[in-house]
Amino acid sequence: MSTNKVNVEGVMLFEQPFARVPYENYRKVFRASQRNIERELGNVQTASNDLQKRTKANEVDREDAAKTVDGMIARVENLKRKLSDLQENNGMPTLDVTQERLHHLAVVEALPTTNCPVFSRWADTRLDRWLVDWTLRAGREKTARKLAQERGIETLVDIDLFMDIHRIERALCRHSCTEAIAWCSENKTALRKIKGSSRAAPLCIATILMYLQSTLEFELRLQEYIELARARKTQEAIAYSRKHLVPWQETHLQQIMQAAALLAVQPSTTCGQYRRLYDESRWTSLIQAFRLAIYTLNSLPTEPLLHLALYAGLASLKLPACYDLTHNVDCPVCDPSIGILAEEVPYSHHANSTIVCRLSGKIMDEDNMPMAFPEHGYVYSREALEEMAAKNSGKVTCPRSGEVCELKSLKKVFIS
């Protein structure tokens, strides 16, 4: 019974992004509400203070005071309407999604074992969620939406998030930074928290992407400046640099100085440091950095959740024998289409080995003894060989070596 107990901690390892995405969405709603409150009430406070000063100085009559008060009331009513619309259109739907997902997770915590039908239904729903996640990452948005609708799991998947990701990535593919910069502005506070997370890491592609992720807004601004320099729009480039690059001088002075020299360097230059700035591959790096940034903010793994689950299972099955010339038809790692995923996972560690018959796929033990061919020594289970002998007049044939012998000539194998 204990082996069938639900491993809640193991299940929850995969579910952090499941709960984090609606939280991040509601955080944006909260920040938008906060900005509206600060702006409108700030204006009301300013008008109130001004009215108070003019009243003390006898510089306002009753009519002007009434107009000022009416203006403050109108601002407060306008604020109330904005907050109500924001809560109704964005806040409540996000809270409903959050509640639905937390309820979905609470179900598995209350289950006693994995044998009950409720867990099977929950696991099927989880697999559907992972399939939708995989199709979204692969760019198959219509398939993902149809699958979510058919399974009734629209609130349990992040279609809108990935649609937003693809929208911004397509804009970057068109060499437009506008959408990505707007996203950085919306998430400025959260992006600041991941800044500099890879300063001590060794220099590699992953480190470069982490650096771009932590300074994504600056890199986007720099790319827009580079495009102006590429088009030889010198005056516009200078004005753009003063407005958008100079404010970053405390942390990116060296890059700003290097970028300034682009105005004197042609895009066809062979000078390494400037050729790298003009290189079109910077757009690919920006797309990867943006994707990494938005995944990080929402606790999404860079790999599809379906792949991560498969990795965990394949790591428990992977053996050196899986890469022999002959494969076990019952082994997922030996399957060419699935085995690709197993290439990067470690081999499984078994304190006690289990020997499986290549012919029948059954475990060989004291009730189903392993039997070895006398000449080449290949081993198969007694049940499988007895079944073969019954069909071939008492003779058995090794499928790997082609050796043929009588059943009684086989040798028992004892494993210690």
Side-chain angles (χ1 to χ4, degrees):
M1 180 67 70
S2 61
T3 57
N4 295 326
K5 185 178 180 180
V6 177
N7 182 5
V8 177
E9 291 185 1
V11 170
M12 293 304 169
L13 284 175
F14 288 93
E15 304 301 343
Q16 185 178 1
F18 182 66
R20 182 65 181 268
V21 171
Y23 163 79
E24 286 295 328
N25 290 337
Y26 197 76
R27 185 184 62 82
K28 294 177 183 178
V29 175
F30 175 79
R31 288 292 300 158
S33 301
Q34 189 179 38
R35 285 194 297 269
N36 284 326
I37 292 172
E38 290 174 352
R39 182 175 60 252
E40 296 298 337
L41 293 187
N43 291 332
V44 170
Q45 186 66 43
T46 300
S48 176
N49 292 339
D50 181 64
L51 178 60
Q52 187 177 10
K53 290 179 182 178
R54 288 190 295 150
T55 301
K56 289 181 179 179
N58 294 321
E59 296 177 353
V60 61
D61 55 26
R62 182 175 297 179
E63 185 178 349
D64 289 339
K67 288 182 179 179
T68 302
V69 172
D70 289 341
M72 290 188 287
I73 293 174
R75 282 187 176 276
V76 173
E77 290 178 346
N78 184 50
L79 172 62
K80 181 180 178 181
R81 187 180 66 257
K82 285 183 179 179
L83 295 179
S84 178
D85 291 343
L86 191 62
Q87 183 67 8
E88 182 178 349
N89 297 327
N90 302 100
M92 289 304 298
T94 304
L95 287 176
D96 291 340
V97 169
T98 304
Q99 185 175 7
E100 183 74 19
R101 294 191 178 192
L102 292 178
H103 174 72
H104 180 72
L105 296 179
V107 169
V108 74
E109 291 183 329
L111 298 178
T113 69
T114 58
N115 292 332
C116 58
V118 177
F119 181 82
S120 297
R121 290 195 296 271
W122 189 91
D124 289 342
T125 301
R126 180 179 60 178
L127 178 59
D128 290 334
R129 292 195 286 113
W130 289 350
L131 289 172
V132 171
D133 174 80
W134 182 86
T135 53
L136 287 170
R137 292 171 186 261
R140 297 175 172 88
E141 298 167 4
K142 293 182 179 179
T143 302
R145 194 176 295 278
K146 184 175 181 180
L147 177 59
Q149 290 173 349
E150 289 181 353
R151 295 293 190 269
I153 56 173
E154 293 95 329
T155 59
L156 303 181
V157 292
D158 302 310
I159 294 178
D160 291 340
L161 172 64
F162 280 96
M163 293 284 284
D164 203 35
I165 293 174
H166 295 325
R167 176 182 62 83
I168 296 174
E169 288 183 352
R170 285 193 291 267
L172 290 172
C173 288
R174 298 193 305 269
H175 293 188
S176 171
C177 296
T178 305
E179 292 81 357
I181 290 174
W183 179 84
C184 288
S185 179
E186 292 177 3
N187 299 273
K188 185 174 295 185
T189 303
L191 285 172
R192 198 176 294 123
K193 293 180 181 179
I194 60 175
K195 187 175 181 180
S197 59
S198 61
R199 289 175 182 171
L203 185 61
C204 61
I205 293 177
T207 303
I208 294 172
L209 288 177
M210 284 295 291
Y211 170 77
L212 288 173
Q213 166 200 350
S214 63
T215 58
L216 181 59
E217 184 178 358
F218 172 78
E219 293 295 334
L220 291 167
R221 294 292 187 185
L222 178 60
Q223 188 62 42
E224 288 197 326
Y225 170 85
I226 291 172
E227 296 307 314
L228 291 173
R230 192 196 307 275
R232 314 314 294 165
K233 297 179 180 180
T234 305
Q235 294 301 320
E236 293 181 29
I238 293 174
Y240 188 91
S241 177
R242 288 174 178 171
K243 183 177 181 180
H244 297 295
L245 298 185
V246 172
W248 294 80
Q249 60 183 335
E250 290 186 5
T251 54
H252 297 81
L253 180 60
Q254 186 64 33
Q255 290 173 275
I256 294 172
M257 293 174 62
Q258 185 180 13
L262 283 180
L263 298 179
V265 178
Q266 292 291 332
S268 58
T269 181
T270 57
C271 182
Q273 58 181 340
Y274 300 114
R275 184 176 61 187
R276 283 193 296 272
L277 289 176
Y278 278 127
D279 198 331
E280 293 287 344
S281 65
R282 272 184 57 86
W283 287 104
T284 303
S285 298
L286 285 174
I287 292 172
Q288 294 173 338
F290 162 72
R291 186 181 305 152
L292 184 60
I294 196 167
Y295 282 179
T296 302
L297 291 189
N298 292 280
S299 298
L300 287 168
T302 54
E303 288 271 0
L305 292 167
L306 181 63
H307 287 189
L308 296 181
L310 288 172
Y311 288 151
L314 292 173
S316 67
L317 298 172
K318 182 179 177 181
L319 295 170
C322 296
Y323 295 93
D324 291 342
L325 293 178
T326 55
H327 300 294
N328 188 339
V329 295
D330 297 314
C331 175
V333 182
C334 295
D335 187 290
S337 57
I338 301 178
I340 297 175
L341 293 174
E343 292 179 354
E344 297 183 5
V345 304
Y347 288 108
S348 59
H349 173 71
H350 294 278
N352 298 310
S353 297
T354 300
I355 305 177
V356 179
C357 176
R358 185 180 292 268
L359 291 175
S360 65
K362 296 181 179 180
I363 294 175
M364 293 184 280
D365 52 22
E366 63 274 7
D367 297 323
N368 187 22
M369 289 286 294
M371 309 291 288
F373 277 81
E375 184 176 346
H376 294 91
Y378 287 112
V379 177
Y380 304 94
S381 69
R382 185 185 64 193
E383 291 181 359
L385 292 170
E386 287 178 347
E387 183 179 348
M388 182 186 296
K391 297 178 180 178
N392 295 280
S393 304
K395 294 185 178 182
V396 290
T397 304
C398 176
R400 285 181 284 180
S401 65
E403 180 183 351
V404 180
C405 67
E406 297 288 338
L407 178 65
K408 61 184 179 181
S409 301
L410 299 174
K411 300 178 179 180
K412 293 182 179 180
V413 177
F414 297 91
I415 300 172
S416 58

